[in-house]
């Protein structure tokens, strides 16, 4: 029926692909009616117009796995030479992998509403781990794209202090395409890992937003200029402290491995370990990167360089390195730029780095160079430990690290850290400011020859890599080498009045040292160091004119002593004489030489006026120890004292011997001893004194010791082997605080005891006196229940004094113990 009317055709409730439909075709005055199948009509109408995922069975209900339908659409478009695959404003659940292989297909969504979960527009919901949702691969896939689509993952771990994201793979993997794949207006919300690209140059990412926990964009083996523009990572899902601080410890916004010439511009990230992480792979590292404008907020590192040989440029970068939601506290270990590599080259035009714990810029490794035109550091050195704005590691024997500043750094730190750290072979060079007419700035020299700033307020000059001059704001100048190795030092007085004039002489004439200045009378002082001598023809040093107080060094005739004295010509009627050491040096009457003549080296800040000894160790060798005089005495303990006498030994901390002969403090801290000789060994017939103390806060027996610590062999009342002590104890307890009782309540005990010790500590026994629970001899009524225990200590080999107070009362216990001691 080629000419049948439409009304004459069979009635059909629905049309199938094989059903025929009439088509009226007009050619001039001739009109013909023809038939075609529905499939033929559809193919003709939709030819070259792309496809829609719904035509392949995608439901978009957020429940059905739409991945097989999307894969079917991809496969169909591939047979047709590629094209656009449309997604409607629905939620498509992706529960299995989708691969675009050797097909140029563009995924086109319907946009999205920014927010923590699926809203209006096109959303891809990924609810399971263990697979890659989208993979683009193959040479013919370059030119594919993803546009106007949002992606959401389900992270099931409770949000608390131990929160971690679920281990989802990258949402998009672009691999072995050898060319560009585009991402435009993509929203990645609550995503573990975002986009991974390998061996696919010309990757182009524009308008990428979202909250990505572990890795936002990672690129490797990208040999042909990838681009990232308008990237914005923010707390779209949640701003919970536990989540964002996890990101600050573990998340990297962008990771670049072997990447050639990546362009990045208009980028912002909040809450990451690093914004830009330059790492490496077996293929190599990143070179010629360019960062246009970037802002890193609440990050540990804005730029983290881990790969040797990384190089690139930064136009404008702001980094704020606070711990998230902490009231401004800096993130531990944070730096704006951190280089842990070698031979990197980075040029930066404008850097602002805020709120780092120590150094805004930290350069480790060796052979690295940073060129920074303008640097502003705000609130660094947060720990107030002297951290510098730029920390340059000492490279040892490897090439030194270097930082070149186009202008002096602007440092706005409340703790006032220096520009660069000391103690490094690193190089910091800076261009000087224009200055003022009276004091213009100056830029001079090269790496090894010229002027530089080794520390704040310090100017130094080097020639051929060797420092030859250094000047400080205090007016000190050293010449010849670095301070400590220099040949000459000039120190300017606080008020510029008098000076030293050095004048050379013509042939046949002497050179001169001359005092010059405003004063009419100016002296010249020559001061040696240590045992050095100032040799003069005369034996008197005095100030001409007799003005002020005068010190005299006075020689003497044979048989008479030489003298150091305050001269009678001094202005004051009474003039003191001070012998002052340098630093922690000791004050002594002999020069230590390690023999019996001079003795061993004295302790720091020690005083030793003893001039006679039989052995080298008979000296004040303890730190801050004192021997006031006598002969053959030892003060070996820190803060120990021997006032005089002969053969006494104070060998324990803060022990003392007031005099006498052959007394011995026996390694017991804070005790005294004195004797009038010995039977066989030092200390075998002596008297002594111990001071013990302890603070208690409850009704438990508390041991009194010499240092208020736990009992041991040095801080308790201990006996030597085969020794006997007769003791008289005076013990005082006084309440100083607590929830019960009254401050000031007191109790006191007077006790006597006889104790002896055999060949070991375990053989210590109380012969008489003492007691396990002694009531106070005297007390306030509120202190009557306090008890003292005096017992043998078989662990340390002595006497244990223990006080028992009351609950909720802070009680200070103090004991003075007088002893008579016999050993042998």
């Amino acid at each position: 029926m080629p000419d049948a009317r439409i009304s004459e055709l069979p009635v059909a409730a629905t049309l199938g692909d094989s059903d025929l439909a009439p088509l009226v075709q007009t050619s001039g005055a001739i009109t013909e009616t023809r038939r075609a199948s529905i499939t033929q009509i559809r193919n003709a109408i939709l030819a070259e117009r792309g496809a829609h995922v719904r035509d392949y069975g995608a439901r978009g209900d957020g429940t059905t796995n739409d991945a097989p339908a999307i894969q079917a659409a991809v496969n169909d478009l591939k047979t047709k030479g590629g094209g656009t695959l449309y997604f409607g404003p629905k939620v498509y659940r992706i529960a299995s992998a989708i691969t675009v292989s050797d097909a140029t297909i563009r995924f086109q969504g319907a946009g999205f509403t920014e927010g923590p979960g699926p809203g209006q527009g096109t959303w891809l919901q990924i609810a399971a781990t263990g697979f890659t949702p989208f993979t683009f691969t193959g040479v013919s896939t370059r030119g594919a794209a993803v546009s106007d689509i949002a992606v959401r993952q389900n992270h099931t771990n409770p949000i608390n202090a131990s929160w971690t994201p679920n281990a989802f793979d990258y949402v998009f993997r672009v691999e072995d395409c050898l060319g560009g794949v585009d991402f435009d207006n993509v929203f990645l919300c609550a995503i573990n890992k975002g986009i991974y690209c390998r061996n696919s140059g010309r990757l182009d990412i524009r308008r990428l937003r979202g909250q990505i926990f572990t890795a936002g964009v990672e690129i490797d083996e990208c040999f042909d200029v990838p681009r990232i523009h308008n990237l914005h990572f923010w707390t779209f899902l949640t701003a919970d402290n536990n989540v964002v601080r996890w990101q600050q410890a573990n998340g990297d916004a962008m990771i670049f491995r072997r990447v050639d010439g990546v362009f990045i511009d208009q980028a912002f990230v909040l809450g990451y370990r690093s914004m830009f992480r330059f790492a490496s792979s077996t293929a190599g590292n990143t070179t010629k990167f360019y960062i246009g404008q970037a802002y890193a907020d609440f990050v540990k590192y804005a730029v983290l360089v881990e790969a040797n040989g990384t190089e690139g440029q930064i136009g404008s970068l702001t980094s704020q390195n606070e711990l998230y939601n902490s009231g401004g506290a800096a993130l531990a270990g944070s730096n704006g730029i951190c280089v842990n590599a070698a031979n990197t080259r980075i040029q930066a035009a404008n850097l602002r780095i805020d709120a780092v714990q120590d150094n805004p810029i930290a350069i480790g490794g060796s052979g690295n160079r940073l060129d920074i035109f303008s640097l502003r550091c705000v609130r660094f050195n947060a720990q107030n430990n002297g951290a510098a704005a730029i920390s340059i590691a000492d490279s040892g024997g490897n090439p030194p690290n270097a930082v070149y500043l186009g202008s002096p750094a602007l440092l706005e730190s409340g703790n006032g850290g220096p520009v660069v750290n000391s103690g490094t072979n690193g190089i910091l060079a800076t261009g000087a400011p224009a200055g003022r007419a009276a004091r213009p700035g100056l830029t001079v020299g090269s790496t090894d020859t010229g002027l530089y700033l080794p520390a704040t307020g310090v100017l130094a000059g080097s020639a051929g890599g060797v420092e030859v001059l250094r000047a400080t704001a205090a007016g000190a100048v050293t010449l010849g080498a670095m301070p400590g190795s220099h040949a000459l030092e000039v120190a300017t007085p606080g008020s510029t009045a008098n000076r030293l004039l050095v004048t050379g002489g013509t042939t046949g004439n002497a050179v001169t040292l001359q005092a010059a200045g405003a004063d009419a009378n100016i002296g010249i002082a020559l001061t040696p160091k240590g045992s050095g001598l100032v040799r003069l023809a005369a034996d008197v040093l005095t100030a001409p004119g007799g003005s002020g107080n005068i010190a005299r060094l006075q020689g003497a005739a044979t048989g008479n002593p030489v003298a150091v004295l305050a001269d009678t010509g001094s202005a004051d009627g009474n003039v003191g004489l001070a012998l002052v050491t340098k630093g922690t040096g000791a004050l002594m009457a002999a020069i230590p030489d390690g023999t019996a003549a001079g003795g061993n080296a004295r302790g720091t800040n020690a005083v030793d006026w003893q001039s006679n000894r039989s052995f080298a160790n008979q000296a004040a060798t303890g730190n801050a120890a004192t021997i006031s005089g006598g002969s053959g005495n030892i003060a070996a303990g820190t803060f120990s004292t021997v006032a005089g006498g002969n053969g006494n030994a104070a060998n324990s901390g803060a022990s003392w011997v007031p005099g006498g002969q052959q007394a011995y403090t026996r390694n017991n801290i804070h005790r005294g001893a004195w004797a009038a000789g010995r039977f066989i060994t030092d200390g075998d017939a002596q008297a002594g004194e111990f001071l013990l103390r302890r603070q208690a806060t409850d009704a438990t027996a508390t041991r009194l010791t010499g240092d208020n610590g736990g009992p041991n062999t040095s801080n308790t009342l201990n006996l030597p082997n085969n020794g006997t002590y007769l003791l008289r104890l005076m013990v005082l307890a006084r309440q100083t605080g607590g929830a019960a009782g009254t401050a000031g309540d007191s109790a006191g005990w007077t006790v006597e005891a006889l104790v002896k010790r055999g060949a070991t500590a375990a053989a210590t026994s109380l012969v008489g006196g003492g007691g396990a629970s002694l009531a106070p001899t005297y007390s306030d009524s509120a202190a009557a229940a306090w008890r003292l225990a005096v017992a043998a200590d078989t662990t340390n080999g002595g006497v244990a004094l223990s006080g028992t107070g009351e609950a909720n009362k802070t009680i200070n216990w103090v004991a003075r113990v007088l002893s008579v001691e016999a050993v042998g």
Side-chain angles (χ1 to χ4, degrees), residues 73 79 116 387 464 489 530 658 665 740 806:
T79 64
E489 182 172 345
T665 62
E806 293 182 71

Side-chain angles (χ1 to χ4, degrees), residues 51-53 70 85-90 92 94 106-110 122 124 134 149:
H52 200 289
V53 292
I70 297 172
L85 180 59
Y86 292 96
F87 292 75
K90 296 178 179 293
Y92 298 91
I94 309 298
R106 305 178 66 87
F107 288 0
Q108 179 63 56
T122 300
L124 307 179
F134 295 93
I149 290 176

Side-chain angles (χ1 to χ4, degrees), residues 440 461-462 477 510 609:
S462 64
V477 178
W609 292 121

